[in-house]
């Protein structure tokens, strides 16, 4: 499986603090059947400002250490970019990272409580420069829990949707679980990712959630959320399939 949302790099945000912790997380991921992880530290959210250079450097270091530890997981560079008026500019000058540096997809974090005015315009601006935003943990955003319509319109405008494995397994509470299930039922999900932050509390585990998703969507569609669709994102050439 491929995990496109993970705070796996040490000391850049609220994820692990040391490489040892990162490696422990990767060991858990490998045991769960995850082969590739896009490292997506919080960036440009006013609290954490992981710089592109530090992310790329840390990815290289972690990959080296994983080889030494004989853990068969590959880490790719990325970022969880907070909604920000300067995003188009930051992507243009390389301050903000696309997923696996593909110059095409970004993992976009919206505020949890409300969708700020102008969001659709900003997304339109991103689309106009060829960027496809992937909305991070859509099921945890209160506005989407209450109302599908806006998300439906955003999907029509070309965005993609990621939900969190631990929402499906109930870790975040019943509203998040129900919203995740509803989005799956309405075919409004393109990715299940871990949004892992640690080895224990928020671990990089996808298999349980995929099993639960498959009861709603069927096995093949659930698989696409952790295999085919993320493969399109980390690929540096091909088109990403819309819908599941
Ligand atoms: Fe995250």
């Amino acid at each position: 499986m491929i995990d496109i949302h993970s705070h796996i790099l040490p000391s850049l945000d609220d994820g692990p603090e040391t490489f040892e912790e990162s490696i422990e997380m990767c060991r858990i991921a490998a045991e769960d059947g995850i082969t590739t992880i896009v490292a997506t530290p919080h960036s440009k959210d006013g609290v954490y400002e992981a710089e592109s250079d530090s992310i790329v450097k840390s990815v290289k270091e972690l990959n080296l250490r994983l080889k030494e530890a004989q853990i068969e997981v590959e880490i790719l560079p990325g970022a969880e970019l907070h909604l920000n008026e300067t995003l188009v500019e930051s992507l243009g000058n390389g301050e903000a990272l696309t997923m696996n540096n593909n110059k095409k997809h970004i993992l976009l974090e919206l505020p949890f409580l409300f969708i700020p005015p102008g969001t659709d315009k900003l997304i339109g601006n991103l689309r106009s420069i060829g960027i496809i935003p992937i909305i991070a943990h859509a099921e945890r955003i209160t506005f989407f829990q209450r109302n599908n319509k806006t998300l439906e319109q955003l999907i029509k405008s070309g965005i993609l949707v990621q939900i969190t494995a631990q929402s499906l397994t109930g870790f975040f509470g019943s509203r998040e679980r129900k919203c995740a299930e509803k989005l799956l039922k309405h075919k409004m999900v393109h990715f299940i990712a871990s949004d892992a932050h640690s080895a224990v509390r928020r671990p990089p585990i996808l298999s349980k959630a995929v099993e639960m998703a498959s009861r709603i969507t069927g096995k093949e569609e659930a698989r696409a959320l952790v295999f085919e669709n993320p493969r399109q994102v980390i690929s540096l050439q091909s088109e990403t399939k819309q819908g599941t």
Side-chain angles (χ1 to χ4, degrees), residues 183-192 210 213-230 241 243-244:
L183 295 178
L184 282 169
K185 208 169 150 192
H186 290 277
K187 298 188 182 298
M188 291 167 70
V189 177
H190 306 91
F191 312 96
I192 295 175
V210 174
S214 70
R215 292 180 209 161
I216 299 169
T217 64
K219 260 190 181 167
E220 207 178 309
E221 283 190 14
R223 264 183 68 90
L225 306 178
V226 289
F227 284 98
E228 288 84 358
N229 291 354
K241 183 171 80 177
T244 56

Side-chain angles (χ1 to χ4, degrees), residues 69-128:
Q70 297 184 321
I71 297 171
E72 292 186 1
V73 171
E74 186 186 15
I75 312 295
L76 302 173
E80 180 170 12
L81 300 166
H82 198 74
L83 185 76
N84 180 315
E85 280 171 11
T86 61
L87 211 44
V88 170
E89 193 189 326
S90 309
L91 285 161
N93 64 22
E95 273 178 27
L97 273 182
T98 50
M99 301 293 271
N100 194 23
N101 252 326
N102 71 0
K103 315 278 185 235
K104 192 168 172 189
H105 297 92
I106 59 167
L107 184 64
L108 181 65
E109 182 176 45
L110 301 179
F112 281 98
L113 295 178
F114 67 101
I115 305 299
T119 299
D120 46 351
K121 189 168 173 249
L122 180 84
I123 287 176
N125 291 343
L126 290 166
R127 298 291 295 121
S128 73

Side-chain angles (χ1 to χ4, degrees), residues 18-19 48-49 92 121 134 137-138 146 155 160 167 176-177 194 202 204 210 218 224-225 230 232 235 237:
T18 62
F19 274 108
Y48 299 108
E49 299 290 339
K121 189 168 173 249
I134 300 169
H137 43 62
R146 295 193 188 125
I155 293 171
L160 300 171
S167 288
E176 285 72 9
R177 183 175 51 76
S194 72
R202 295 181 65 184
V210 174
L225 306 178
Q232 300 285 339
S235 150
Q237 285 151 11

Side-chain angles (χ1 to χ4, degrees), residues 107-188:
L107 184 64
L108 181 65
E109 182 176 45
L110 301 179
F112 281 98
L113 295 178
F114 67 101
I115 305 299
T119 299
D120 46 351
K121 189 168 173 249
L122 180 84
I123 287 176
N125 291 343
L126 290 166
R127 298 291 295 121
S128 73
I129 59 163
I131 294 289
I132 301 172
I134 300 169
I135 303 291
H137 43 62
E139 83 292 349
R140 294 181 56 204
I141 296 171
T142 312
F143 189 83
F144 297 147
Q145 290 169 357
R146 295 193 188 125
N147 171 358
N148 272 1
K149 288 279 171 264
T150 308
L151 191 58
E152 219 170 350
Q153 271 161 8
L154 288 172
I155 293 171
K156 278 187 190 145
S157 76
I159 64 107
L160 300 171
V161 171
Q162 176 254 309
I163 62 168
T164 313
Q166 279 186 294
S167 288
L168 280 169
T169 56
F171 174 80
F172 292 105
S174 65
R175 271 188 307 203
E176 285 72 9
R177 183 175 51 76
K178 279 181 193 155
C179 183
E181 289 172 352
K182 186 175 69 180
L183 295 178
L184 282 169
K185 208 169 150 192
H186 290 277
K187 298 188 182 298
M188 291 167 70

Side-chain angles (χ1 to χ4, degrees), residues 5-7 40 42 80 107 109 136-137 140 195-197 202:
H5 184 170
S6 181
H7 302 263
T40 53
H42 290 292
E80 180 170 12
L107 184 64
E109 182 176 45
H137 43 62
R140 294 181 56 204
D195 196 6
H197 280 68
R202 295 181 65 184

